[in-house]
Each structure stands twice: as structure tokens, then as C-alpha cells.
Amino acid sequence: MTDLRTPVDTTSDDPGYAANLRRATLASSIGSALEYFDFALYGLSTALIFNVLFFSQDDPAMATVAAFATFGVGFVARPFGGLFFGVLGDRLGRKWVLVITILLMGGASTAIGLLPTYAQIGLWAPALLVLMRLLQGFGAGAEQAGATVLMAEYAPVRRRGFFSALPFIGIQAGTLLAAVVFSLITLLPEDQLLSWGWRVPFLCSFALILVALFIRMRLRETPTFVELEKHEQVSDRPIREIFGHGLPGVIVGIGLRMAENGGSYMLNTLALTFFVAVAGSGADKSLLTWGVTLGSLLGIFTVPLSGALSDRWGRRTVYRMGALFLLLYSFPAWWLLTLGDYAIAIAVIAIGIGFGVNVMLGPQCAMLPEMFGNRHRYLGVAMARELSAVLAGGLAGVLGAYLIAVSGGNWVLLGIYMATLALITTAATFLVPETLRRDLTRTDDAVKVSRDEAGEGVASTTVTIRTVRW
């Protein structure tokens, strides 16, 4: 199979390019904002609302564990959504998949705001909540991968890290918006909060859907996918390709995401449950959401900055800095939360999200698409992102809540958990080649399987990770 060697000139004088670059940035940003608004809102509601309204209160501790399990269900659905829509994205193009996913994801989130509670319909309430969470996760499984691929393929080569990171300000904006909205609604009297107040933010998702849909319908297809179509090299079997040749890249991508994704959800949601466990049931939970708010506010600056730095220093260097920061931060952070001081807890959460997590997210936006060939890039990024979301983010809530319940709030266990995620990601940065300024029209992956070619008749095959030269 011949490879595409002619770079797509994303710095050409095409008068439509600048307009489409802006449109792509907006389309990706609003989609990211909606996804993380929904997920952050769901996470905050899990620890404070859903455990009370959607599950039996015979055992409040187990109700919280069950609520976090429904939070994890969304992560289970994400790889299936990534697989299904990733194939469509590599066969039909990036644009139309992003139109479908925003409708599916946003529609499910809006429907959550209409669900009856356990007191109204019994076990049907958590069943419907799980169903909506599955649909939400199925759509989200390709949404973020699509936004990542879209911007990397549109961005100017020498500033790909910076431009690819810009839409991920939407992640910070969505998380920030969810934290602010949730902090405001928790000011309501408890009876009003539990009767109707919690529904308002979910119903507001509908407005973001309309804005994102309007922008995406006006978007043109990415230059690199157009190049594939021009050379008649669009893949008929992206699944066969990704599992036949792209699996090493998926595995390394999963490793890269463990600390960023798992650390994010531990600090966004689990920290609230842990603080209440050690501070007592009288703790004001709503105050801690300001830690998420400040962390997201920091991320508005640290995500594009770390993306820009990766254009100068390389993707691996900046990524490794973020992983090492989180590794060193793990034990002090969870110990500080045991002090029961609100100001310290807010600072711990904000610093962990704003610097530890987001310094990895910035270079990741360009790095993951650069790791995969053009014929199966969407599917490769989706699989790396969403399988890691199950292993890191999905388990963080339910396993962390279980560790808190059985250990009585032992901070050392949670420190070990976060440090382990950071160690995995740090190791993964040594397995991936430097992808800075890689030609995205290439159809080969940056991470490949190297076979021992010592001679015929050799029974064993050695599989190693090697750097592809270009």
C-alpha cells in the first residue's frame, strides 16, 4: 500500500481556511464544553444528589457506592461508542459523526433532568438513570476523539500543539460552568434542591446542543480526510487495521491517559466524598466545588500554554512533566484533605486539576492524533481515549468510594491509587516516539510492532515498541 507523502498545506492562502479553522475551533470547543459540563455535573450530583434521590436510603454508604457505579456505567459505554462512531469517522469523515454524537450525548443529558426519582417509581428510577448514562457515554465515546482529530487535522503544523489545545479550553469551561451552576443551586433550601433545583442544569444542556449543532452543520471536512478521499485511500476496514497494526499505539495511548483521566475524576468527584468521610456528615459539601471551579479556571490558561510549550520542547517532555507532578503530589494531596480544612481542601483540588492534570491534557490534544495513521486515526484516538476512560476514570469513582467505605477514609490507599496511575503514565512517555510536527497525511503509525527478522524458521516473535523515523 502506498503511503501519502504530500503534506496538507494548512497555511495556504485559501480564503476559506481561516474561517474554517475558527469554525472548527468553536465546534470542538462547544462540544467539549457540553461533554464535560454534563460529566462534571453528573459527577458532582453523584456524590450529593443521585445517591439520595435514586437509591434506597436503607444503607446510605452503599447508596453512594451504587450512585458511583452508575457514574462508572457511562465509561463502560464509551469504548463501544468510540468503536462504532470511530469506524464511521474513518469511513465517512469527521464532520457528520460529530453532528450525530452531539445530538445523542446532549439529548441523554437533557433527559436526565426529566427523570422520576426512587420515591416516585422505585427501582425503575435507577434503571432509567443507568439507561440515560449509557446513551450519554455512547455519544461521548466519539465526541472527544472527534474534536481531538478535527483540530489536529485543521491546525497549522508548527503550532499544532497550541491550536489543538484551544478547543480543550471547552473542557475547562464546561467543568467550570458545571461547578459554578452546582455551587449556586446548592444554595437553595435542601427541599427545593432535591425536588426541582438539581434538574435545572441538566435541562439547560439543550441550549448548548442547539449552538453546537448550528456551527457543526456549517463546517467543512478536514484537509487530511479530503486528501485520503482524493487518493482513494479511505479505509474499508478500520477495525481490522487498528487491531492488526495500530494496537501498540492504542496500548501506549491508554497508558498516557491513565494519570490525566483517572487523576481528573479522583479530584473532581472522589475528593468530595473523601472529605465528607473524614470531616464528618456535617461538612458543607458545596464549598469544595470551588476547588473544581478554581482548577478549571487555571486550566483555561495551563492547557493552551502546555500545548504551546509542546510545540517548542516536544510532546513527550511536557507530558512527562505533568505526570511527574501528579506523582509527587499524590500523597501530600490526600493527606492534606484529612485535615478537614476547607481552604486547604479547595487549594489541593484546584492545584491538582489546574497543574497536574491539565499540563498533560495540553500536549495530549496533538499527541494522540499524531500517533496514528490517517486511515484509522479517528478509531485509534477513540479506542485509546475511551478504553483508558474505563480503566482510569470509570474505576476511580466506584473503586475509590469502595476504598473509602471499607477503610474508614484511609488517605494512604488513595495516595497509592493516584501515584500508581501517575507511574503508569510516566512509563508510557518513554514508550512513545516524539511526534512533534509529524505529517498527518501519513498512513503508518508512530508506534509500531517490530518483528525479529534474524532468519526463517525462528519460532518466536519479539514484539517491541520502536520509534518510526521521518
Side-chain angles (χ1 to χ4, degrees):
M1 180 185 300
T2 57
D3 198 0
L4 297 178
R5 296 293 180 184
T6 305
V8 175
D9 182 12
T10 55
T11 59
S12 70
D13 294 328
D14 179 1
Y17 171 72
N20 265 284
L21 180 60
R22 289 193 299 271
R23 202 171 290 135
T25 304
L26 280 173
S28 302
S29 298
I30 293 174
S32 297
L34 176 60
E35 177 185 351
Y36 275 77
F37 174 78
D38 291 339
F39 268 67
L41 189 62
Y42 196 103
L44 292 168
S45 300
T46 296
L48 308 177
I49 304 275
F50 293 155
N51 59 329
V52 176
L53 292 182
F54 285 86
F55 299 91
S56 170
Q57 293 303 293
D58 293 339
D59 187 343
M62 287 300 104
T64 299
V65 173
F68 271 106
T70 66
F71 183 68
V73 161
F75 291 94
V76 174
R78 290 180 69 139
F80 296 100
L83 181 65
F84 179 79
F85 290 114
V87 170
L88 294 182
D90 282 322
R91 295 184 64 179
L92 304 179
R94 324 307 190 197
K95 170 185 173 178
W96 290 109
V97 171
L98 287 173
V99 169
I100 297 170
T101 56
I102 199 73
L103 288 172
L104 179 60
M105 184 178 65
S109 298
T110 303
I112 289 175
L114 300 172
L115 292 180
T117 65
Y118 186 89
Q120 294 172 315
I121 60 171
L123 291 176
W124 282 105
L128 290 173
L129 183 65
V130 168
L131 176 61
M132 292 303 104
R133 182 64 174 162
L134 284 170
L135 292 175
Q136 187 187 59
F138 194 75
E143 169 64 32
Q144 205 61 60
T148 302
V149 170
L150 183 78
M151 278 312 301
E153 292 184 343
Y154 258 114
V157 175
R158 291 187 176 275
R159 302 189 67 196
R160 186 183 291 150
F162 172 72
F163 274 95
S164 296
L166 286 181
F168 285 74
I169 294 175
I171 292 177
Q172 315 310 317
T175 305
L176 177 63
L177 182 61
V180 170
V181 169
F182 199 81
S183 296
L184 292 175
I185 65 170
T186 54
L187 297 177
L188 290 169
E190 186 174 0
D191 60 331
Q192 295 184 34
L193 172 65
L194 296 179
S195 62
W196 61 268
W198 69 272
R199 299 179 184 276
V200 174
F202 287 98
L203 296 175
C204 288
S205 298
F206 188 70
L208 285 175
I209 298 174
L210 294 179
V211 175
L213 188 62
F214 173 75
I215 295 172
R216 290 183 178 186
M217 291 295 290
R218 302 177 63 215
L219 189 65
R220 291 196 313 199
E221 192 51 78
T222 68
T224 54
F225 189 81
V226 170
E227 194 77 3
L228 267 184
E229 292 182 314
K230 185 188 303 182
H231 289 77
E232 297 183 349
Q233 288 198 328
V234 175
S235 176
D236 292 327
R237 298 182 178 90
I239 294 180
R240 176 183 292 184
E241 289 192 16
I242 201 65
F243 287 104
H245 306 289
L247 194 57
V250 172
I251 293 172
V252 173
I254 290 171
L256 289 171
R257 289 258 299 157
M258 293 299 283
E260 175 265 319
N261 191 256
S264 174
Y265 282 102
M266 288 186 75
L267 292 165
N268 269 293
T269 62
L270 193 61
L272 278 69
T273 301
F274 177 74
F275 186 85
V276 172
V278 298
S281 58
D284 188 349
K285 308 168 187 177
S286 64
L287 282 176
L288 294 188
T289 60
W290 288 105
V292 179
T293 303
L294 293 175
S296 301
L297 188 61
L298 282 172
I300 290 176
F301 302 97
T302 55
V303 169
L305 176 61
S306 58
L309 289 175
S310 76
D311 285 328
R312 296 174 60 88
W313 300 345
R315 315 288 186 226
R316 292 187 305 177
T317 300
V318 179
Y319 210 114
R320 194 174 298 151
M321 288 168 56
L324 289 173
F325 178 91
L326 197 65
L327 174 62
L328 297 174
Y329 192 67
S330 296
F331 290 100
W334 290 100
W335 174 75
L336 287 169
L337 288 175
T338 65
L339 300 180
D341 185 280
Y342 289 105
I344 292 175
I346 289 171
V348 165
I349 294 171
I351 292 170
I353 295 172
F355 291 100
V357 171
N358 289 326
V359 167
M360 289 181 279
L361 182 59
Q364 182 192 112
C365 303
M367 191 176 188
L368 286 182
E370 289 170 340
M371 287 170 55
F372 295 97
N374 199 14
R375 288 166 55 88
H376 53 252
R377 178 170 296 123
Y378 199 133
L379 182 58
V381 173
M383 288 294 93
R385 285 189 58 85
E386 303 315 327
L387 289 174
S388 63
V390 175
L391 296 174
L395 283 179
V398 65
L399 180 57
Y402 178 76
L403 289 175
I404 292 171
V406 299
S407 69
N410 190 324
W411 67 271
V412 175
L413 293 178
L414 294 171
I416 292 172
Y417 188 7
M418 183 178 284
T420 301
L421 296 176
L423 277 173
I424 293 172
T425 294
T426 302
T429 63
F430 289 94
L431 296 177
V432 65
E434 181 52 67
T435 60
L436 181 65
R437 300 192 185 114
R438 191 171 197 258
D439 182 2
L440 293 187
T441 62
R442 294 186 63 143
T443 56
D444 61 324
D445 290 346
V447 182
K448 282 191 171 183
V449 175
S450 177
R451 294 183 180 272
D452 186 355
E453 298 177 351
E456 294 182 2
V458 178
S460 63
T461 300
T462 303
V463 180
T464 60
I465 303 294
R466 67 179 177 86
T467 301
V468 178
R469 296 176 182 174
W470 55 82

